[in-house]
Amino acid sequence: MSEINYYLDVCKSVFNYALRERKDWLNSRKSPINVCSLKQEYIIPADAPYPGYNHQAKSLTRAKKTSERLKSVHSQVLQQTLKQLDRAFSDMKAKGHGFPRFKKNMRSFVFPALPKNCLGNNKIKLPKFGWVKIRQSRPYPTGFEPKQARVVRKASGYYVMIAFQSEETMPEHPVGKRCLGIDAGIESFVATSGGELIKAPKFLRDNLRKLKLLQRRLRNKKKGSSAWLKIQKKIARLHEKIADTRRDERSQGKMKLGRFFSPVDNYSLPRNKAPQFHFSLSPLAAF
């Protein structure tokens, strides 16, 4: 576990350093040529290239020759961290997402390539880690080849998500004879065209009393103490439990509707044309 935390800490440093480099370059291009700000001024040569992914990947390769800390981490893991930052900037321009932020904690890292015969009974072989014992939640699919693995740190422990690939093509989904229209409601979670109303589960409201109690206890503890960290971990586990139950309920509902009706179409209303409502806690707790 200490080695996984070490990898996450190094990935966080690489992400924040690369983000700082991009922000400094952008701020230097915003400086007027005739005046200087009263606080600070970014002085970067005008012919300096933009620190994109390719530029920062080359700088990372040079830095690994002199830094033992970077050298101890798999090179592809650090490259995936730079790609994560590059995707964040691409989504900011293409999808209108916010400007990328500095990370206080890194939650996951990716091994984009796995060695051959890397899967065993309740164990997996990761680059530079060797064989790692895991609690296998489901059997490995037959006829598929493992391509990459993502190690995730959550409040309840550490998880590894394995992506498989197969050369088989997906068959075309036949058009069924029955169609169903669904609409998200306020009092009920989903209303169908057949008149069925699916009740909202409200997982957040069911656990709200316990969450308030833990937050009240956290307020009376000294920040950073062992008791404060213990309650903070309990709150994180409770939030994870709410998210897991909500995700499981949503998955079962989609399977129930998709098993009897076909096809299933989704329509998303644009944000600028969607009506603006003020939601209270009750409808928000349903999702």
Side-chain angles (χ1 to χ4, degrees), residues 183-192 195-202 282-283 286-287:
D183 184 24
I186 301 299
E187 295 183 358
S188 58
F189 182 55
V190 169
T192 67
E196 181 184 3
L197 298 178
I198 301 178
K199 187 179 179 181
K202 298 182 181 180
S282 297
F287 296 92

Side-chain angles (χ1 to χ4, degrees), residues 46-65:
D47 57 347
Y50 175 72
Y53 168 74
N54 294 329
H55 178 81
Q56 291 182 332
K58 293 179 181 179
S59 301
L60 178 63
T61 304
R62 293 192 296 266
K64 283 177 67 69
K65 297 179 181 179

Side-chain angles (χ1 to χ4, degrees), residues 8 32 93 113 190 202 216 236:
L8 292 171
K93 299 175 182 178
V190 169
K202 298 182 181 180
R216 193 179 301 116

Side-chain angles (χ1 to χ4, degrees), residues 128-144:
K128 280 203 171 185
F129 279 81
W131 287 103
V132 180
K133 292 183 179 180
I134 59 174
R135 186 181 299 171
Q136 191 173 338
S137 60
R138 65 187 69 179
Y140 301 124
T142 57
F144 289 80

Side-chain angles (χ1 to χ4, degrees), residues 82-138:
L82 295 179
K83 286 185 179 181
Q84 179 183 354
L85 176 64
D86 192 63
R87 283 194 302 268
F89 273 89
S90 299
D91 292 343
M92 179 187 67
K93 299 175 182 178
K95 302 180 181 180
H97 292 183
F99 198 90
R101 303 181 185 180
F102 293 102
K103 289 189 177 294
K104 184 177 180 181
N105 293 307
M106 204 76 174
R107 296 184 179 180
S108 66
F109 59 89
V110 183
F111 290 101
L114 295 176
K116 294 183 178 180
N117 301 323
C118 61
L119 300 180
N121 189 16
N122 290 327
K123 61 181 180 179
I124 181 174
K125 189 176 183 180
L126 299 175
K128 280 203 171 185
F129 279 81
W131 287 103
V132 180
K133 292 183 179 180
I134 59 174
R135 186 181 299 171
Q136 191 173 338
S137 60
R138 65 187 69 179

